[in-house]
Amino acid sequence: MSGETKRRFPPETRTLQLIAVVILFASSIASLVWTVVVFVDREARRNSAGRILSEASNRMIQAGSAELTRMIPRWPAEVADEHWLIINRRLAELTDSILRDYPGVEGGYFSEYGKKFVGFAFPTEPLPVAEKNSKRRIPARSGPPEREFDLIEIRVNAAIRKNKVLFGVESVPPSTVAVRTAPVYYEGAIVGAAWTMMRIEDPLFVRTSTRGYLLASGFALAGIVLSLVMTIGLARTVRKQAVERNRLQTELRRNERLAALGKLLAGVAHEVRNPLAGIRSTAQLWQRGIGPDSESAGDLIAEVDRLEAIVSRLLQFSRAETSELAPGDLNAVVAEAARLAQGPAELEGVNVEVELEPGLPAAAMAPQALIQVFRNLTTNALQVSPPGSSIRLTTKVEPGGRRLLASVRDQGPGLSPDVLRHLFEPFFTTKSEGTGLGLAIAREIALAHRGDLKAENRTDSRGASFTLVLPVVAAETPAEKKVDAVFT
Ligand code: ADP
């Protein structure tokens, strides 16, 4: 499974994924901001165009109505085509004169001619001329040819329905137009209309004016959502990988320790065989009728004691293995170890000094197993301490605050280079009665605590110094979970 995970999410791919997510997120945010800014700008321009157009439109209507009222009574009741031509020409001149005051505004009048409304306009800037056969072309049906306005780009349709003028405006991208239209009356009847118009440049124009903005912001939002989903996915993957890595590390540690344990067991087998061979040969002698005498019985008991010592030491290993770790107080453990060492120390005429750093952070521990470490250390220290000397137990936080250090120092002969080399090896002993397991077990317990046990010669005086190193419990561990070491 781990191999599969590695294949699916190698770190390079993860980095690329992360870069892709960041780019997607940034571009989505940018396009959303751009869309909003453009939309707001467009709305502002529409509003200002609306104001300008209202004013221009009002002037056009007033001027147009006044002109029609002035001109129409000059002709008979039936206004002839030529009269309309004259009226339209005049209206066109009016448009020209009024719209000169409004840069950017185009416009014109529709007036009744042959039952149709026909538009004239004077663009403020030249418009492209329509191709001859263009379907969009709506040629003006009347008016002076030089004033004829080709409505190729903007088509304004008008019609009278139930005494109202209806307008329809079509526009061609990329321009959208703001249009004002209003009827022009003569004697209470609508006889035409004025229209004014402004083009608004609009990058997102797509026929229905806001659809482009909705689409653009929709895409941008989808991009943002997608990048968030991808981020969550990526975070999950990273977390899974971290869990997997931890699992592998734990497995590796266990394998290493199992290998060490295998070595230890081989040593145990070897160590146990010697006393067993002794016991066997004594028993064989007794079988042949030689003995039992008190000397051979004494040898037998010594061999059994040795086996007993080895077995009880080995039991300490199982303690280190099986204990659950919980946040606890290292000071409490060291104080208890000092208390336990007090009695034997007094017998040897040795002082036990304790110096504990107050307010030590919690460490994950199995207190009983740690007590065993300090018992092994103080027992060794006592064995080499001359009367009148001191054993010193101290605790402190390592500079940096990530690990705790607890030391046991004596004033004995110290550690020779040869002893230092083999100190922690199981069954290494320089004592006739020793098992050589005390330090090996102490170290094993330290490793089981994700810590270590180190040995060196003191620099401040004669003697050896053993230091237990324990990692501080991570800060997020709730304080109430911290327990004082429990001793049974
Ligand atoms: P044991 O005490 O049964 O010999 P240990 O593993 O506890 O087994 O110690 C291994 C060896 O390390 C001891 O035999 C001794 O030579 C050396 N040693 C341990 N502690 C000290 C000490 N405080 N000062 C000098 N030598 C020590």
Side-chain angles (χ1 to χ4, degrees):
M1 190 213 148
S2 60
E4 194 187 319
T5 311
K6 264 191 191 154
R7 227 180 307 123
R8 270 171 54 204
F9 306 110
E12 321 82 73
T13 312
R14 229 165 48 208
T15 313
L16 283 180
Q17 273 180 323
L18 196 66
I19 292 171
V21 168
V22 169
I23 290 174
L24 179 63
F25 186 73
S27 55
S28 302
I29 290 279
S31 64
L32 185 65
V33 169
W34 180 81
T35 309
V36 170
V37 166
V38 168
F39 184 73
V40 168
D41 175 59
R42 181 188 104 139
E43 287 307 295
R45 282 188 294 141
R46 270 163 73 107
N47 287 340
S48 89
R51 277 196 304 279
I52 295 169
L53 284 183
S54 288
E55 202 186 306
S57 175
N58 285 342
R59 275 187 64 189
M60 291 271 290
I61 293 156
Q62 278 168 18
S65 298
E67 196 62 23
L68 289 173
T69 311
R70 195 175 63 80
M71 291 182 79
I72 291 178
R74 288 195 216 152
W75 288 292
E78 232 2 75
V79 180
D81 283 2
E82 60 267 29
H83 297 143
W84 280 112
L85 281 175
I86 295 167
I87 289 171
N88 283 336
R89 184 189 293 269
R90 179 64 198 132
L91 290 176
E93 284 166 8
L94 267 180
T95 304
D96 195 19
S97 69
I98 292 169
L99 294 189
R100 232 180 261 150
D101 299 342
Y102 300 94
V105 176
E106 299 159 38
Y109 287 97
F110 292 98
S111 58
E112 197 176 24
Y113 173 68
K115 299 299 170 200
K116 284 193 176 126
F117 284 92
V118 179
F120 296 89
F122 298 95
T124 50
E125 49 191 82
L127 291 169
V129 176
E131 287 167 28
K132 278 262 162 15
N133 297 325
S134 166
K135 280 183 188 163
R136 286 207 191 109
R137 183 184 168 96
I138 305 178
R141 293 281 177 85
S142 70
E146 74 276 15
R147 295 291 196 197
E148 223 170 84
F149 172 42
D150 190 343
L151 293 171
I152 176 66
E153 276 211 343
I154 298 114
R155 184 189 296 180
V156 184
N157 301 316
I160 291 182
R161 297 265 186 282
K162 294 181 184 165
N163 215 24
K164 277 189 178 156
V165 180
L166 307 176
F167 287 88
V169 178
E170 290 172 31
S171 39
V172 180
S175 297
T176 187
V177 291
V179 179
R180 282 280 181 287
T181 57
V184 175
Y185 292 96
Y186 175 67
E187 289 186 347
I190 295 173
V191 292
W195 64 275
T196 47
M197 182 194 87
M198 262 177 106
R199 288 153 206 267
I200 298 173
E201 290 305 315
D202 186 353
L204 286 181
F205 180 86
V206 277
R207 294 235 166 255
T208 313
S209 63
T210 52
R211 199 189 296 159
Y213 293 96
L214 288 177
L215 269 176
S217 44
F219 279 130
L221 283 174
I224 290 169
V225 169
L226 188 66
S227 54
L228 288 179
V229 168
M230 283 172 76
T231 308
I232 292 169
L234 210 57
R236 279 213 186 119
T237 307
V238 169
R239 210 181 53 208
K240 253 195 232 160
Q241 284 179 335
V243 169
E244 180 65 9
R245 207 171 28 245
N246 273 350
R247 198 184 63 77
L248 285 177
Q249 270 170 1
T250 314
E251 209 169 276
L252 198 71
R253 272 173 90 95
R254 221 183 48 220
N255 286 345
E256 277 171 0
R257 291 178 59 211
L258 279 177
L261 210 64
K263 252 191 188 165
L264 175 81
L265 286 178
V268 170
H270 178 74
E271 288 298 307
V272 166
R273 262 197 201 124
N274 288 341
L276 282 182
I279 292 168
R280 192 171 202 277
S281 59
T282 308
Q284 275 174 341
L285 286 177
W286 288 359
Q287 201 178 30
R288 282 191 224 138
I290 309 168
D293 52 47
S294 68
E295 191 189 338
S296 60
D299 286 350
L300 200 71
I301 290 168
E303 299 291 24
V304 170
D305 284 349
R306 180 156 178 72
L307 283 175
E308 161 66 21
I310 290 173
V311 169
S312 52
R313 282 295 204 191
L314 285 176
L315 279 178
Q316 295 174 6
F317 265 114
S318 66
R319 258 195 202 165
E321 275 302 313
T322 56
S323 299
E324 285 274 312
L325 301 184
D329 182 9
L330 185 61
N331 277 347
V333 170
V334 174
E336 174 66 5
R339 193 184 65 76
L340 292 171
Q342 202 69 49
E346 264 170 34
L347 290 178
E348 304 289 335
V350 174
N351 299 318
V352 177
E353 295 171 2
V354 185
E355 191 185 320
L356 306 176
E357 186 171 300
L360 225 50
M365 61 171 67
Q368 285 305 323
L370 287 189
I371 284 282
Q372 193 61 58
V373 172
F374 290 107
R375 285 191 79 159
N376 294 359
L377 295 178
T378 51
T379 304
N380 281 346
L382 271 178
Q383 285 171 351
V384 295
S385 290
S389 67
S390 301
I391 298 176
R392 195 169 166 74
L393 283 82
T394 60
T395 59
K396 67 173 181 181
V397 185
E398 191 184 52
R402 295 165 70 99
R403 302 194 300 176
L404 304 182
L405 309 175
S407 299
V408 176
R409 297 190 184 94
D410 60 55
Q411 293 177 322
L415 305 159
S416 70
D418 190 43
V419 168
L420 260 175
R421 241 192 321 277
H422 303 289
L423 206 56
F424 294 110
E425 287 173 14
F427 303 106
F428 171 78
T429 181
T430 56
K431 303 167 193 166
S432 54
E433 298 293 301
T435 58
L437 285 173
L439 289 178
I441 287 168
R443 182 124 197 266
E444 186 64 21
I445 294 173
L447 293 176
H449 280 72
R450 293 175 175 267
D452 204 355
L453 182 63
K454 291 174 175 165
E456 60 193 353
N457 281 311
R458 290 178 72 160
T459 48
D460 55 339
S461 83
R462 226 166 80 94
S465 168
F466 289 84
T467 303
L468 172 73
V469 184
L470 283 187
V472 163
V473 173
E476 66 262 28
T477 303
E480 63 266 25
K481 278 184 88 181
K482 180 180 164 182
V483 291
D484 280 346
V486 178
F487 308 107
T488 52

